[in-house]
Amino acid sequence: MKGPRVTVQTKPTAGTNPTPHEELARQLLGIGAVKRGLAGHLPPDCPPGAAAVLTVLDRHGEMRLSRLAEFMAVDISVTSRHVTHVADRGWIARETDPGDGRCRILRLTPAGRALLTELGARYTAAVERALHDWSAQDIDVLNTLLARLRSSF
């Protein structure tokens, strides 16, 4: 049995004035296009899932696969494929957990840190190009509001 079909409206109906919350929800759906645009600046051997693994490990430190899957909010099987991809390239190390030999601890390697530095530079350059006509004040306001939005979730 299929669940109810959910329709997401991406633009206001002609003649209606969306509430501020409706407009924000609509704008947030558009963030996917921004993320896809940024993903286009990743090296060919570093898809978005691999970049996410590196970013989470950099931000939160070493951890088990199950914890990484929680942070990434994806199924452990998907996370495992991303981990295999980055481990095969030497960007992370998988070491035996001293507390439980059946588990592995994932750690960022120096090569992984170097790649993250490169990714950060690529993303920053892409944002600078896209927002070249924005004022520094507008960018500061956006940064402040995005940080506030993120903390609300």
Side-chain angles (χ1 to χ4, degrees):
M1 177 177 186
K2 291 185 179 181
R5 184 179 172 148
V6 177
T7 303
V8 178
Q9 189 172 347
T10 58
K11 63 181 180 178
T13 304
T16 65
N17 290 324
T19 68
H21 291 95
E22 288 171 334
E23 179 59 18
L24 178 58
R26 188 181 75 76
Q27 291 297 333
L28 288 174
L29 288 173
I31 294 295
V34 173
K35 290 175 69 174
R36 285 187 299 279
L38 287 172
H41 295 278
L42 292 171
D45 63 340
C46 185
V53 167
L54 300 176
T55 301
V56 170
L57 290 174
D58 183 55
R59 185 171 295 143
H60 299 285
E62 65 185 42
M63 66 185 70
R64 290 181 178 181
L65 178 67
S66 58
R67 181 94 168 118
L68 179 63
E70 290 173 16
F71 273 114
M72 293 179 61
V74 295
D75 186 78
I76 199 162
S77 65
V78 174
T79 306
S80 180
R81 284 192 296 273
H82 295 317
V83 164
T84 298
H85 182 88
V86 297
D88 287 351
R89 284 153 183 78
W91 300 332
I92 67 166
R94 294 182 281 196
E95 299 171 4
T96 303
D97 183 344
D100 184 347
R102 299 169 296 170
C103 297
R104 300 284 177 260
I105 298 291
L106 309 175
R107 290 187 175 91
L108 204 56
T109 64
R113 288 193 193 287
L115 178 60
L116 274 174
T117 299
E118 177 189 342
L119 298 180
R122 286 172 178 243
Y123 272 31
T124 299
V127 169
E128 287 174 350
R129 282 190 302 274
L131 305 182
H132 71 278
D133 58 346
W134 286 42
S135 71
Q137 181 181 2
D138 284 347
I139 294 170
D140 286 343
V141 168
L142 180 60
N143 284 330
T144 299
L145 292 175
L146 286 174
R148 184 174 170 194
L149 175 66
R150 199 168 95 196
S151 71
S152 295
F153 285 86

